[in-house]
Amino acid sequence: MLEKALTGDSKYWGWIGFLLLLIAVGFGAYLRQFNEGLTLTGLSRDVSWGFYIAQLTYLVGVAASGVMLVMPYYLHDHKAFGKITILGEFMAVGAITMCLLFVLVDLGQPMRMMNMIIFPTPNSVLFWDMVVLNTYMFLNIIIGWTVLQNERKGIHYQKWVKVLIYLSIPFAVSIHTVTAFLYAGLPGRHFWLTAIMAPRFLAGAFCAGPAILLLIVFFLRRFTSFDAGDKAIKSLAVIITYAMILNVFFLLLELFTAFYSQVPGHMHALIYLFAGLHGGHALVPVMWASVILAVIVLILLIPPKFRNNYNLLIPALIMLVLSTWLEKGVALVVAGFIPNPLEHVNEYAPTLNELVISVGVYAVGALIVTVLYKIAIGVKAEVGDAAH
Amino acid sequence: MKSDRRHFLKAAGVATIGVAAGATAAEANLLDSAKELLLGPKGAAPYPEAKKNARWAMVVDTRKLTAESMEKMIHACNHAHNIPLHPLRKKGDKYNKDEIKWIWEEEFENAFPGQMNEHLPPKVTQNEVLVLCNQCENPACVRVCPTKATFQRDDGIVIMDFHRCIGCRFCMAACPYGSRSFNFKDPRIASLEINPEFPTRMKGVVEKCNFCAEQLDKGLQPHCVEACENGELVFGDMNDPESEIRKVLRNNYTIRRKPEVGTQPQVYYIV
Ligand code: SF4
Ligand code: SF4
Ligand code: SF4
């Protein structure tokens, strides 16, 4: 099926070329970092994780989009999702690849990466994160590819594929849970030390991932022969709405616990985020932008009249992606380090080199998703399943 | 049940040490004088015996700390462990993002957040105190490390294998005391006179105070303790009821940094 990715019009090749260019530039920036060390980033002794790890966190969420289609389709026989589950599975492949790359570019000694496997350490959450991320990625590659191949041959998927599909559901939940445990199990980091970290991750994931997927669906509908169908779009929008409500609700719970209890440690990071602390204000605009966008998104998504109007749904989805990204892909990780354990406020901002590397990683993900989608849509067009 | 068993094990451990100490006392005395001859008298006496079943801990007597004495101890550590002095990344930076520190000075309120009562004696709150890795009995950094590059020895010391560390910095997020530093750049390029007895590190790995394991293995006290002139730091074996540190702990009220996070710090402070 790979040959499907090798034929395309000039727009397709232009896009591929553009992504390859971004990857090359990002790789160049990475070589600099590889030679000189992470001093080229904005990270410091106090804020020791930043943009890279925050992207990992966000993209683990994006990888979830698959399961929000797989579950209704395979468990509840929601036929409308039949055509787009493959998109979710392939997006998960791209997202997890990016996650793993973001871990890699964050390592101080990337050449020793294999030490995690040579000296497996089950008491480390990072070890488990690596295990579940890799397993989830392989599950999605195998499932997506076999189902597509069978579709092409016109046969129903085999039993073992079904087993893998069922297996992928708990694994999708586990990648978020385990990633949340990276943060939620650390003593002395009050901002992260919360039992609802995992539910927050799941809620964020189940709205942001499907929102990105839905935006892609709209894009494909407009520019290719692939149409997911109104029914699928509308059901997915409902799922996104519920997840976003939960996401906002969970944030309010954090605010209540911190400010009603008045425990200083629990309030500090939140004060830093919303109002600034000891002269540090860098994330205040980020946090408020996220909150304001979230409110607008809810207003646009909850009433069915608005939600079913694609002219409102599309901007709402874009704002949702932005809002959740600002919160999980920027603020959540950085604010855990501010103030530091000695209550000093030392801030963080990514450097240009760091951002260029990150863009390069995103370009790798986009390339993988593009190629896989090209194949999927090609196959669907061949068997006449593209238009509805 | 569980705590009974623990006490029993501890008591058994202490008994063993007692016997071992008696048997080797004579040799130890010899060793002692030999060391004195070779190394010259130091501020603090070396150990009478190199202990096998020890549990090392430190007491910081903040009443005795002065700006000069702290500087001496910090310098002793920096020098012995080849700690690089990196310049600011760019002019006007509020703090040094590349900084490596194993032991340093902090205000009382920063070392002990949440324990800053109103109207405390000025000599407590206005003087700086020394902070270092607490060599926790239940260390969060060891728990999170994905490669066992940070591990705990039988004598309680939390120590690192610089050649195994992948530089994921999970341990830095986990340490509730900000005790760990990361080599953002090559530590060997920063101008310093290298102490050939201690390994230099490479960029991309984490490091921290190791309680001078290299000294203890030779039967010597940590460098910072050796640099004391007035007994500002007391170092010793918690498993030995007769050790000086146990005496100091018996006779003074001590506090520890953030006891509520459950790491069981082994650095105690007299305030
Ligand atoms: S103070 Fe921090 S680095 Fe030292 S042992 Fe405790 S947790 Fe680990
Ligand atoms: S940075 Fe090194 S010591 Fe720290 S957790 Fe990672 S591998 Fe372990
Ligand atoms: S015990 Fe050793 S390593 Fe730790 S601060 Fe003192 S001199 Fe430095």
Side-chain angles (χ1 to χ4, degrees), chain B residues 210-227:
Chain B
N210 63 353
F211 248 15
C212 288
E214 77 282 4
Q215 288 278 97
L216 300 175
D217 295 344
K218 288 190 274 184
L220 297 170
Q221 299 240 29
H223 292 289
C224 55
V225 182
E226 284 186 339

Side-chain angles (χ1 to χ4, degrees), chain A residues 55-90:
Chain A
Q55 300 320 297
L56 154 82
T57 308
Y58 189 72
L59 289 167
V60 168
V62 174
S65 55
V67 81
M68 283 332 254
L69 303 168
V70 165
M71 224 156 30
Y73 180 60
Y74 289 101
L75 286 189
H76 303 284
D77 206 22
H78 188 68
K79 292 269 173 349
F81 285 165
K83 234 170 1 172
I84 53 172
T85 41
I86 185 83
L87 299 186
E89 282 152 0
F90 281 168

Side-chain angles (χ1 to χ4, degrees), chain A residues 34-35 38-39 41 43-45 48-49 106 108-109 112 115 119-121 123-124 189 341-342 344-345, chain B residues 89 94-95 98 106 110 143-144 146 148 162 164-169 172-173 178 181 184 203 257-258:
Chain A
F34 187 84
N35 285 328
L38 286 157
T39 182
T41 66
L43 297 169
S44 63
R45 196 180 183 282
S48 44
W49 281 341
D106 187 69
Q109 285 286 340
R112 298 184 188 160
N115 281 3
F119 310 107
T121 312
N123 49 282
S124 173
R189 300 274 178 198
L342 297 130
H344 295 296
V345 172
Chain B
R89 264 185 221 171
K94 221 179 85 196
Y95 76 119
D98 295 319
E106 283 286 344
N110 297 109
R143 198 180 317 139
V144 301
K148 304 189 188 81
F162 303 122
R164 189 184 282 195
C165 173
I166 58 174
C168 65
R169 306 187 297 293
M172 295 177 82
S181 306
F184 283 96
K203 72 170 185 290
R257 296 172 64 200
K258 297 193 188 172

Side-chain angles (χ1 to χ4, degrees), chain B residues 58 60 77 101-104 129-135 175 177-180 208-211 224 233 235 257 267 269:
Chain B
M58 186 188 278
V60 181
C77 179
K101 46 189 183 185
W102 288 22
I103 176 169
W104 71 100
V129 300
L130 279 178
V131 293
L132 62 158
C133 165
N134 285 298
Q135 302 293 340
C175 171
Y177 307 97
S179 302
R180 309 181 70 99
K208 67 167 192 78
C209 154
N210 63 353
F211 248 15
C224 55
L233 305 179
F235 187 86
R257 296 172 64 200
V267 176
Y269 291 83

Side-chain angles (χ1 to χ4, degrees), chain A residues 18-317:
Chain A
F18 174 67
L19 290 178
L20 287 175
L21 184 74
L22 291 183
I23 294 170
V25 175
F27 187 69
Y30 180 67
L31 284 185
R32 271 191 71 202
Q33 180 188 297
F34 187 84
N35 285 328
E36 289 179 44
L38 286 157
T39 182
L40 290 188
T41 66
L43 297 169
S44 63
R45 196 180 183 282
D46 282 348
V47 184
S48 44
W49 281 341
F51 201 74
Y52 299 148
I53 296 295
Q55 300 320 297
L56 154 82
T57 308
Y58 189 72
L59 289 167
V60 168
V62 174
S65 55
V67 81
M68 283 332 254
L69 303 168
V70 165
M71 224 156 30
Y73 180 60
Y74 289 101
L75 286 189
H76 303 284
D77 206 22
H78 188 68
K79 292 269 173 349
F81 285 165
K83 234 170 1 172
I84 53 172
T85 41
I86 185 83
L87 299 186
E89 282 152 0
F90 281 168
M91 185 147 94
V93 176
I96 304 268
T97 309
M98 289 189 268
C99 289
L100 296 174
L101 283 176
F102 272 117
V103 174
L104 184 72
V105 298
D106 187 69
L107 291 184
Q109 285 286 340
M111 307 298 276
R112 298 184 188 160
M113 185 180 54
M114 283 303 157
N115 281 3
M116 281 182 47
I117 297 161
I118 303 173
F119 310 107
T121 312
N123 49 282
S124 173
V125 181
L126 201 54
F127 168 77
W128 290 109
D129 209 32
M130 180 196 66
V131 170
V132 291
L133 282 176
N134 280 301
T135 314
Y136 186 65
M137 182 164 84
F138 283 112
L139 281 177
N140 276 292
I141 294 177
I142 296 168
I143 295 169
W145 197 259
T146 353
V147 170
L148 201 61
Q149 236 166 9
N150 291 344
E151 201 169 312
R152 194 183 191 190
K153 291 189 206 133
I155 52 175
H156 200 257
Y157 50 80
Q158 298 87 337
K159 253 224 173 81
W160 63 268
V161 182
K162 187 111 185 183
V163 173
L164 291 188
I165 289 170
Y166 285 145
L167 198 63
S168 78
I169 295 171
F171 263 98
V173 176
S174 77
I175 59 171
H176 297 89
T177 310
V178 176
T179 306
F181 285 176
L182 284 179
Y183 305 99
L186 305 180
R189 300 274 178 198
H190 295 288
F191 183 54
W192 296 335
L193 192 67
T194 160
I196 61 163
M197 194 60 112
R200 270 181 75 191
F201 272 45
L202 285 163
F206 291 161
C207 59
I212 294 176
L213 191 78
L214 203 45
L215 286 170
I216 294 179
V217 163
F218 278 120
F219 174 87
L220 295 178
R221 189 167 148 121
R222 175 102 188 252
F223 294 103
T224 72
S225 61
F226 183 83
D227 186 351
D230 283 329
K231 191 145 180 261
I233 292 176
K234 284 181 180 155
S235 338
L236 201 52
V238 172
I239 293 177
I240 293 169
T241 307
Y242 279 116
M244 184 63 181
I245 293 172
L246 279 178
N247 189 39
V248 172
F249 177 62
F250 287 153
L251 183 67
L252 293 174
L253 293 185
E254 297 280 13
L255 291 172
F256 170 81
T257 308
F259 291 104
Y260 193 79
S261 70
Q262 298 275 307
V263 175
H266 289 281
M267 294 192 293
H268 282 155
L270 287 166
I271 295 175
Y272 170 71
L273 279 178
F274 282 98
L277 191 69
H278 302 321
H281 299 283
L283 288 182
V284 176
V286 169
M287 202 58 205
W288 280 108
S290 167
V291 168
I292 293 168
L293 285 170
V295 172
I296 302 175
V297 167
L298 287 184
I299 295 173
L300 290 179
L301 282 186
I302 295 176
K305 206 164 68 191
F306 293 168
R307 188 175 61 235
N308 290 331
N309 177 347
Y310 292 165
N311 290 330
L312 293 178
L313 179 60
I314 295 176
L317 294 174

